[in-house]
Amino acid sequence: MSAVASLTLVPRRSIPELAHLARTSSSSLGSYLAEHGREPREEYDWSGYCMLHVLSYLEERDVDLEQSEFDAESAAINKVHDLTVLITPAHKRFLDQLDPAGHREEELAAHFEEMGLDFEESGTAGLDGLRLLRDSISELRDDQVLLLHIG
């Protein structure tokens, strides 16, 4: 089974409504995102499992993108919408740590292998994930939240 990592920019004010929709009608959640969200300029061309391993790699380095002021809303959404991470402008504090230049391709490949995802270009997939996260977070406005969905 494969997974896809997708990014959607949503208005910050919509997060409580997204959580409410997740609790009451998971099908409405997707419709709401399609209507009110927008995709950032870039997308992730690798498997969603690669992005999942990028998140765990970062967490091992004390970069936890899954924690935010919207933890309760995130938990509600995650109950029905696979893994969904709500990334806010407050996560800009991690921009330096997300810079691909500060990471070695071999380290990312080793992490992927340790997690059971061993393929020739895994280090590149990891660096691409870091780059996408850094670029997307750096462009976040104060009235936006970046919804990272892996599923």
Side-chain angles (χ1 to χ4, degrees):
M1 188 185 311
S2 66
V4 174
S6 61
L7 299 171
T8 307
L9 288 166
V10 295
R12 181 183 198 87
R13 64 180 169 10
S14 71
I15 300 302
E17 186 170 356
L18 285 173
H20 175 73
L21 287 171
R23 289 182 191 105
T24 58
S25 172
S26 62
S27 62
S28 297
L29 180 64
S31 299
Y32 185 90
L33 288 173
E35 184 177 337
H36 298 284
R38 69 176 179 81
E39 293 181 9
R41 290 183 296 129
E42 299 177 61
E43 58 184 50
Y44 192 59
D45 293 326
W46 300 92
S47 164
Y49 294 115
C50 293
M51 183 60 79
L52 184 63
H53 296 321
V54 168
L55 292 176
S56 67
Y57 169 85
L58 288 168
E59 194 170 313
E60 287 179 1
R61 284 149 183 82
D62 297 322
V63 178
D64 190 354
L65 297 179
E66 295 182 47
Q67 297 294 312
S68 78
E69 66 196 77
F70 295 116
D71 285 347
E73 292 85 351
S74 181
I77 295 168
N78 277 299
K79 285 185 180 180
V80 296
H81 200 56
D82 302 313
L83 174 64
T84 302
V85 180
L86 301 176
I87 300 172
T88 70
H91 288 102
K92 288 182 179 183
R93 70 184 182 275
F94 295 125
L95 287 177
D96 288 344
Q97 293 158 287
L98 293 170
D99 186 349
H103 303 272
R104 290 189 11 252
E105 191 171 325
E106 298 80 23
E107 283 180 316
L108 283 151
H111 178 77
F112 276 48
E113 183 177 354
E114 182 181 305
M115 302 305 290
L117 189 60
D118 183 22
F119 64 102
E120 188 175 332
E121 297 175 301
S122 62
T124 302
L127 290 174
D128 286 352
L130 290 171
R131 187 174 301 106
L132 177 62
L133 289 169
R134 183 205 56 204
D135 292 351
S136 298
I137 293 170
S138 71
E139 294 175 2
L140 270 177
R141 298 187 325 240
D142 288 341
D143 63 341
Q144 294 177 316
V145 171
L146 181 66
L147 189 146
L148 168 59
H149 176 251
I150 301 173

